[in-house]
């Protein structure tokens, strides 16, 4: 069927044919309502008569409608007119990648750029449980705004690779559309498992991506033959010619990447499109650095053997280093290499937020340690030798946080149960050294067997012998003359020799700064402003700034920087050995606000990709309030979006940081706190929720309060629950309630036993739920409001971020970020927990702010999820990073 120019399909007027795909004919058309040109894809009549093809066509509509990504062709509409089924899509101006390749191979820079964009598009589809199954150059359009992935007609609900992380959404399919053994796709780009008629998963798309990258880089198809049978045989049995033979200037790192994508066994390929994207970004970044690499510090043969063993093991595990044969060749030095380490089976990493244990590399570069949470909510510290890849948990480290290595790489320090402890890795011997109520400050251990740690959050470090004894304060750590008082100390790191220490300090009138103190004299000064997480290795100071790791030449004797900083990767936390092993976790702070059902299926998205936190539903359920953080200037503002998606409204423009925000019971106002840069003090205020009117002050908090956040508004409108940090000479958080009439004197409704967070009123206003550290780890509690009465512990294996749905159900997150539902039975001022059941796991980007809200019926959830899930689900290893740096 060919549609003539002028044919009308509803409001769409056909202008001219554009081409034909595997599932239909495509036309340029005009949307007469919006006065814009679109692409209309029509299912031919002969295919429409076939129920199988019609179902595939309908599935493509549903598939594309669930995808919102800058590198995926957008779906505008779907319709049926006069017996014609059609889709209305974004009109893409440009040429297909296939047309571009006809003119010859693309430069390496373009291959990397386009490859990154295709990988991003695949990752977006895969995270929603969709496999493309027909990725090829003809289905990629090159436009002025970048590459666009098209034609999801053969896409199907996907299956996560065995041993990999589960996908965020897994659509169900009751009737298979492809019989077992049937081939679906384009032969030259099909994976071996597809040719063999096996189920395709995300790694099948990765194979096709490898074939597309190969073709872009060489101008030749990776697999060719005189017939379909010979092409299939080539895919099953042969490797394509080396790219460097066809294009001698091909970067070796790119060739290794493509070879890994084209591995015959899916287990030997990259396990996610995000991994491919990260590797391509690294290849592009490494290739953009001009000049000779920096000299590699001298190291013995033992170190080289460990790194080569690690590379070989990771290569065999399919993490992106090419074949064993390549790695086993004798080479004069080890090249920089990137690897990804998944969590132990049945666990998830707990690297950021409450009680976290981010990855730490042993000083000799042979082991990594980290905390992981299993399916039962139990958190332990694990150790993984890099030479054999077998991780094991350390008994006695339950709820262990912030591990750090001894200088001899034989023991670990960590924090648990409000104590500083150590463990000998080989024997499992655990020793308690001192009380410490601030695991987040971390610790450091020098060759003299001395440990620095913070006994309380915000307090100066103390020193204790690793062999035991009484901790002793260090000489006073004084700020620079003329600067504000230091309010907090964290992240200590000994310099070589163990008598000077780097650390992070912050105060009201200056942000984070890396400082150095000499322990013998007590002298200290600023090394670098606006940075944190300092570590010294290989002649460089490594630190975090704006979500990136930087390395800058540094003299440990004088503690002076020299030269320019060089970026090494995006991360929230990192650790480095003395001989070139860098491990990091967490990528960008960008997130999505997504709707989920009770099974964890994605129902929709609100707003775009941004550093979102603290989603909060309006009382009528029609709008979502959220905080958008700015990494550049460390501020945050409030935005309101339609719950069904659409254009958002920015509500705040004043300087400083806005804490979490909450709707008034009638939905006409929002309450929040503001503080920080450019703001004097901490203020609780309110303003109209439609953006009109001005702020109205509710409460000016005392001068010793550092920050605050509005958490909940009682259903009768008489009380505001809020969190505040500071007071009484510490940096702890606590949960308070402000009466909005009468005395307006804030009070704490729950017994003050420890740090408390996020008090939430029940819908009838009779109960107050919060989470607290009084057991040594976060747990959810409920007390009668406004009291007095008993206290009831809800969670049993750790819990935070609590929300009510009705008066008899509580939802909260475990420490592994699994959403839990607690069914309650209340009578008067007594309460009983009748059941607790798990729902699904959320891939949240941080763990220090409310990250979800629930509709009153408990059936749908709006949550902040990571826009970079691969970064939160794996540890990234960068080996021999000094070779990446300029001289």
């Amino acid at each position: 069927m060919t549609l003539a120019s002028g044919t009308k399909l509803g409001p769409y007027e056909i202008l001219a044919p554009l081409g034909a795909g595997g599932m239909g004919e495509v036309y340029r058309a005009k949307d007469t309502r919006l006065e814009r040109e679109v692409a209309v894809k029509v299912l031919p009549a002969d295919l429409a008569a076939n129920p199988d093809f019609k179902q595939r066509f309908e599935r493509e509509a549903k598939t594309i409608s669930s995808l919102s990504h800058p590198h995926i062709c957008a779906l505008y509409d779907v319709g049926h007119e006069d017996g014609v089924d059609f889709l209305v899509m974004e009109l893409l101006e440009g040429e297909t990648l296939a047309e571009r390749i006809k003119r010859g191979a693309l430069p390496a820079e373009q291959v990397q750029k386009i490859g990154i964009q295709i990988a991003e598009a695949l990752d977006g589809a895969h995270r929603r449980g969709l496999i493309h199954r027909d990725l090829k150059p003809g289905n990629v359009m090159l436009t002025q705004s970048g590459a666009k992935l098209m034609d999801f007609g053969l896409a199907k609900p996907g299956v996560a690779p065995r041993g990999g992380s589960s996908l965020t959404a897994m659509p169900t399919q009751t009737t298979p559309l492809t019989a077992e053994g049937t081939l679906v796709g384009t032969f030259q780009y099909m994976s071996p498992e597809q040719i063999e008629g096996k189920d395709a998963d995300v790694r099948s798309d990765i194979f096709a991506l490898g074939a597309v990258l190969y073709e872009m880089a060489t101008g030749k198809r990776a697999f060719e033959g005189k017939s379909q049978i010979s092409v299939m045989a080539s895919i099953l049995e042969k490797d394509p010619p080396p790219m460097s033979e066809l294009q001698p200037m091909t970067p070796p790192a790119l060739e290794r990447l493509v070879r890994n994508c084209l591995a015959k066994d899916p287990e030997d390929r990259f396990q996610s499109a995000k991994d491919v994207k990260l590797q391509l970004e690294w290849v592009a970044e490494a290739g953009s650095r001009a000049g000779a690499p920096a000299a590699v510090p001298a190291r013995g043969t033992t170190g080289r053997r460990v790194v080569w063993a690690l590379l070989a093991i990771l290569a065999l595990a399919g993490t992106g280093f090419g074949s064993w044969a390549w790695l086993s060749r004798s080479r004069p030095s080890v090249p920089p290499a990137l690897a990804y380490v998944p969590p132990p089976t049945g666990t998830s990493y707990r690297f950021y937020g409450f009680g976290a244990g981010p990855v730490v590399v042993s000083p000799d570069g042979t082991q990594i340690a980290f905390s992981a949470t299993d399916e039962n909510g139990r958190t332990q510290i694990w150790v993984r030798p890099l030479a054999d890849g077998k991780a094991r948990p350390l008994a006695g480290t339950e709820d262990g946080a912030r591990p750090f290595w001894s200088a001899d790489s034989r023991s670990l320090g960590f924090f648990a149960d409000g104590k500083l402890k150590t463990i000998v890795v080989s024997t499992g011997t655990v020793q308690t050294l001192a009380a410490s109520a601030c695991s987040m400050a971390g610790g450091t251990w020098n060759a003299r067997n001395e440990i620095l740690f913070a006994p309380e959050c915000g307090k100066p470090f103390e020193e204790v012998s690793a062999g035991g004894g009484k901790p002793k304060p260090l000489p006073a750590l004084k700020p620079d003359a003329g600067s504000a008082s230091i309010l907090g100390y964290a992240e200590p790191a000994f310099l070589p020799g163990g008598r000077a220490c780097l650390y992070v300090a912050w105060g009201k009138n200056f942000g984070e700064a890396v400082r150095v103190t000499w322990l013998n004299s007590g002298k200290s000064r600023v090394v670098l402003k606006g940075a944190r997480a300092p570590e010294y290795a290989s002649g460089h100071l490594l630190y975090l700034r704006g979500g990136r790791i930087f390395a800058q030449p540094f003299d440990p004797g004088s503690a002076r920087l020299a030269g320019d900083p060089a970026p090494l990767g995006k991360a929230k936390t990192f650790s480095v050995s003395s001989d070139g092993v860098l491990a990091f976790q967490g990528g960008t702070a960008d997130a999505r606000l997504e709707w989920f059902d009770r099974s964890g299926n994605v129902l929709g998205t609100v707003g775009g990709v941004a550093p979102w936190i603290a989603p909060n539903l309006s009382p009528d359920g029609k709008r979502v309030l959220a905080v958008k953080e700015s990494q550049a200037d460390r501020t945050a503002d409030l935005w309101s979006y339609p719950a069904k998606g659409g254009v958002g409204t920015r509500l705040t423009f004043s300087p400083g940081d806005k804490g979490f925000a909450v709707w008034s019971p009638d939905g006409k106002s929002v309450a929040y706190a503001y503080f920080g840069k450019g703001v004097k003090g901490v203020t609780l205020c309110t303003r109209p929720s439609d953006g009109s009117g001005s702020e109205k002050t509710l409460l000016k908090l005392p001068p010793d309060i550092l920050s605050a956040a509005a958490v909940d508004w009682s259903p009768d409108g008489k009380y505001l629950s809020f969190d505040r940090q500071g007071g009484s000479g510490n940096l702890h958080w606590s949960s308070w309630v402000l009466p909005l009439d009468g005395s307006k004197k804030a009070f704490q409704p729950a017994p003050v036993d420890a740090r408390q967070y996020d008090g939430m009123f029940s819908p009838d206003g009779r109960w107050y739920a919060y989470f607290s550290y009084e057991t040594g780890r976060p747990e959810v509690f409920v007390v009668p409001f406004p009291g007095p009465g008993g206290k009831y512990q809800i969670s049993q294996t750790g819990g935070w971020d609590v929300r009510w749905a009705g008066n008899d159900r509580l939802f909260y997150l475990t420490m592994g970020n699994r959403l839990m539902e607690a069914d309650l039975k209340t009578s008067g001022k007594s309460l009983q927990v009748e059941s607790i059941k798990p729902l699904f796991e959320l891939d949240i980007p941080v763990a220090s702010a409310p990250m979800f809200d629930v509709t009153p019926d408990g059936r749908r959830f709006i949550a902040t999820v990571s826009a970079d899930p691969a970064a939160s689900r794996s540890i990234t290893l960068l080996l021999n990073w000094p070779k990446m740096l300029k001289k």
Side-chain angles (χ1 to χ4, degrees):
M1 174 182 63
T2 301
L3 298 180
S5 177
T7 301
K8 289 287 189 70
L9 296 176
Y12 306 103
E13 180 181 349
I14 300 298
L15 300 178
L18 289 175
M23 288 297 299
E25 299 161 350
V26 184
Y27 296 86
R28 180 187 293 268
K30 181 179 180 181
D31 184 340
T32 57
R33 297 170 302 180
L34 301 178
E35 294 295 321
R36 66 177 177 184
E37 291 193 348
V38 296
V40 172
K41 184 173 183 178
V42 175
L43 181 64
D46 58 332
L47 297 183
N50 185 316
D52 181 57
F53 281 103
K54 185 175 177 64
Q55 191 176 0
R56 283 188 183 173
F57 190 80
E58 293 171 350
R59 184 177 64 206
E60 181 177 9
K62 295 177 181 178
T63 299
I64 304 175
S65 68
S66 70
L67 301 175
S68 177
H69 194 281
H71 296 298
I72 295 178
C73 181
L75 175 70
Y76 294 149
D77 197 3
V78 60
H80 180 86
E81 187 83 13
D82 297 329
V84 176
D85 296 286
F86 62 93
L87 306 177
V88 182
M89 298 178 293
E90 175 185 8
L91 180 63
L92 302 178
E93 301 285 0
E95 64 178 348
T96 66
L97 181 56
E99 291 168 337
R100 169 59 187 86
I101 292 174
K102 287 180 182 178
R103 301 199 303 272
L106 281 69
E109 294 78 9
Q110 290 187 29
V111 173
Q112 293 153 15
K113 179 180 178 181
I114 295 170
I116 288 169
Q117 293 171 349
I118 298 173
E120 287 180 345
L122 287 176
D123 179 58
H126 292 169
R127 288 194 310 106
R128 283 159 177 77
L130 298 168
I131 303 166
H132 192 283
R133 294 202 299 175
D134 196 21
L135 173 61
K136 58 186 178 182
N139 282 338
V140 177
M141 181 69 78
L142 304 180
T143 72
Q144 288 187 346
S145 61
K148 295 270 189 175
L149 184 56
M150 307 181 296
D151 202 344
F152 279 79
L154 300 183
K156 75 159 191 173
V159 180
R162 181 167 50 87
S165 302
S166 61
L167 295 169
T168 303
M170 300 291 281
T172 57
Q173 185 75 36
T174 57
T175 304
L177 295 181
T178 304
E180 184 177 355
T182 301
L183 302 183
V184 178
T186 303
F187 284 103
Q188 289 85 353
Y189 308 93
M190 290 173 63
S191 64
E193 61 269 21
Q194 286 175 285
I195 289 175
E196 291 174 342
K198 298 176 181 178
D199 285 339
D201 63 24
V202 298
R203 297 168 299 182
S204 303
D205 279 352
I206 289 169
F207 185 93
L209 177 55
V212 171
L213 291 170
Y214 184 99
E215 193 168 342
M216 280 196 287
T218 66
K220 303 289 184 182
R221 286 178 176 170
F223 303 100
E224 294 188 292
K226 296 181 179 180
S227 65
Q228 291 181 346
I229 296 298
S230 61
V231 172
M232 289 189 290
S234 179
I235 292 172
L236 291 171
E237 300 172 1
K238 298 179 181 179
D239 291 326
M243 295 164 61
S244 56
E245 288 185 3
L246 301 174
Q247 289 291 330
M249 297 303 292
T250 300
L254 178 62
E255 179 147 17
R256 292 195 298 273
L257 181 152
V258 172
R259 186 187 302 125
N260 179 271
C261 291
L262 295 176
K264 305 299 183 187
D265 188 341
E267 295 290 335
D268 292 336
R269 295 176 208 145
F270 288 102
Q271 300 298 290
S272 76
K274 189 67 173 184
D275 287 349
V276 181
K277 180 220 172 191
L278 291 172
Q279 189 81 325
L280 281 167
E281 286 180 333
W282 179 78
V283 171
E285 189 172 354
S288 67
R289 296 192 177 98
V296 182
R299 28 190 284 186
T301 57
T302 299
R304 283 196 293 270
R305 283 199 301 268
V306 168
V307 175
W308 278 113
L310 170 62
L311 290 176
I313 288 167
L314 293 175
L316 292 176
T319 54
F321 289 105
S323 68
W324 166 269
W326 184 86
L327 291 170
S328 300
R329 294 175 187 168
S330 175
R331 290 181 177 266
S333 64
V334 180
L338 201 64
Y340 305 96
V341 181
T345 302
T347 73
S348 58
Y349 287 127
R350 186 170 162 191
F351 73 92
Y352 192 73
F354 299 109
V359 62
V360 285
V361 185
S362 62
D364 63 8
T366 63
Q367 307 173 79
I368 57 174
F370 52 85
S371 69
T373 303
D374 64 22
E375 295 170 344
N376 297 318
R378 181 177 62 173
T379 299
Q380 288 179 283
I381 293 176
W382 294 64
V383 169
R384 176 172 175 156
L386 297 182
D388 63 23
K390 295 179 181 178
R392 62 183 178 91
L394 299 179
T397 64
E398 288 73 17
D399 294 321
R402 298 293 297 196
F404 55 96
W405 286 95
S406 60
D408 62 9
S409 301
R410 296 177 180 176
S411 301
L412 283 164
F414 65 97
F415 301 85
D417 306 319
K419 302 288 193 301
L420 166 64
K421 301 182 179 183
T422 63
I423 183 170
V424 180
V425 172
S426 61
T427 65
T429 303
V430 177
Q431 182 180 12
T432 299
L433 295 181
S436 176
C438 190
S439 66
M440 294 301 290
T444 185
W445 190 337
N446 67 14
R448 297 168 180 256
N449 235 17
E450 298 161 335
I451 293 175
L452 295 188
F453 72 103
E456 294 279 347
C457 287
K459 300 295 185 181
F461 303 117
E462 292 188 356
E463 182 180 82
V464 66
S465 170
K470 185 178 180 180
K472 59 181 181 180
L474 295 176
L477 299 175
K478 296 180 180 180
D480 296 332
S483 69
S485 297
I486 291 179
L487 298 175
Y489 302 80
E491 302 176 319
F494 276 118
L495 288 171
R499 301 317 296 160
C501 181
L502 299 167
Y503 61 97
V504 175
W506 65 92
K508 278 191 175 181
N509 295 330
F510 65 93
E512 294 172 327
V514 173
R515 300 177 64 91
V516 63
T517 187
W518 284 268
L519 304 189
N520 293 334
S521 66
K523 292 181 179 179
S524 64
R525 62 172 173 79
V526 171
V527 174
L528 183 65
K529 294 181 179 180
R532 67 177 187 86
E535 288 202 47
Y536 172 78
S538 303
H540 290 79
L541 177 67
L542 282 75
Y543 55 88
L544 289 174
R545 175 183 278 166
R548 289 181 177 269
I549 307 169
F550 289 91
Q552 190 167 353
F554 182 75
D555 177 11
S558 63
R560 299 287 182 184
L561 288 162
D564 297 322
L568 296 178
K570 296 179 181 179
K572 291 187 175 74
T573 180
F574 76 91
S575 177
V576 63
S577 73
S578 60
D579 67 344
V581 178
L582 175 65
F584 51 97
Q585 289 178 288
T588 173
D590 283 346
R592 290 185 174 88
L593 296 172
E594 292 190 337
W595 281 102
F596 295 88
D597 64 16
R598 291 175 60 87
S599 297
N601 297 314
V602 178
L603 303 176
T605 302
V606 176
V609 173
W612 296 112
I613 62 169
N616 190 272
L617 287 173
S618 63
D620 62 8
K622 293 182 179 180
R623 297 195 72 83
V624 177
L625 187 66
V627 179
K628 182 190 291 188
E629 297 183 312
S630 170
Q631 297 294 305
D633 55 10
R634 301 187 66 80
T635 62
D637 281 292
L638 306 182
W639 288 73
S640 172
Y641 278 87
K644 293 183 179 179
V647 179
T649 301
R650 182 176 174 180
L651 299 181
T652 58
F653 296 87
S654 55
D657 198 353
K658 314 304 179 297
F660 324 143
V662 61
W663 299 88
S664 62
D666 60 9
K668 294 181 179 180
S669 301
V670 295
Y672 54 95
Y674 69 90
F675 49 89
K677 185 177 180 181
V679 177
K680 185 176 181 180
V682 181
T683 304
L684 284 172
C685 59
T686 184
R687 72 177 309 137
S689 60
D690 62 1
S692 65
S694 58
E695 291 178 342
K696 176 184 176 182
T697 298
L698 296 175
L699 180 68
K700 284 275 189 181
L701 292 170
D704 58 349
I705 302 302
L706 304 180
S707 58
V711 177
D712 197 19
W713 208 316
S714 65
D716 59 9
K718 296 181 179 180
Y719 299 95
L720 182 72
S721 168
F722 68 97
D723 289 347
R724 75 179 202 185
Q725 183 189 23
S728 303
N730 62 55
L731 296 181
H732 290 170
W733 284 88
S734 51
S735 185
W736 294 71
V737 169
L738 174 68
L740 297 178
D741 54 12
S743 68
K744 291 192 176 182
K745 185 177 181 179
F747 65 94
Q748 291 185 273
V752 185
D753 296 322
R755 289 169 286 168
Q756 300 167 326
Y757 300 81
D758 299 1
M760 300 292 296
F761 301 103
S762 61
D764 61 8
R766 296 175 53 243
W767 298 94
Y768 185 80
Y770 63 98
F771 71 94
S772 167
Y773 267 82
E774 62 191 73
T775 66
R777 67 180 175 192
E779 297 283 9
V780 175
F781 296 87
V782 173
V783 295
F785 184 80
K791 179 169 63 176
Y792 302 91
Q793 182 173 333
I794 307 302
S795 60
Q796 305 296 319
T797 57
W800 69 289
D801 199 3
V802 60
R803 291 288 184 269
W804 292 92
N807 298 308
D808 56 359
R809 277 191 294 174
L810 272 179
F811 294 88
Y812 64 90
L813 293 176
T814 67
M815 304 320 297
N817 295 324
R818 182 171 293 277
L819 187 62
M820 308 292 285
E821 179 182 34
D823 292 324
L824 312 178
K825 182 179 181 180
T826 61
S827 177
K829 290 190 176 182
S830 66
L831 179 149
Q832 181 178 347
V833 181
E834 297 206 310
S835 66
I836 295 178
K837 53 180 175 286
L839 296 183
F840 59 93
E841 187 174 326
L842 285 169
D843 185 13
I844 64 173
V846 299
S848 57
M851 283 297 161
F852 81 96
D853 203 356
V854 57
T855 56
D857 60 8
R859 298 179 63 182
R860 295 187 302 134
F861 307 86
I862 182 77
T864 303
V865 297
S866 175
D868 190 12
S872 63
R873 294 173 181 170
S874 65
I875 292 170
T876 302
L877 295 178
L878 179 57
L879 309 177
N880 209 4
W881 57 269
K883 292 202 71 173
M884 296 174 57
L885 307 179
K886 297 178 182 179
K887 279 188 177 180

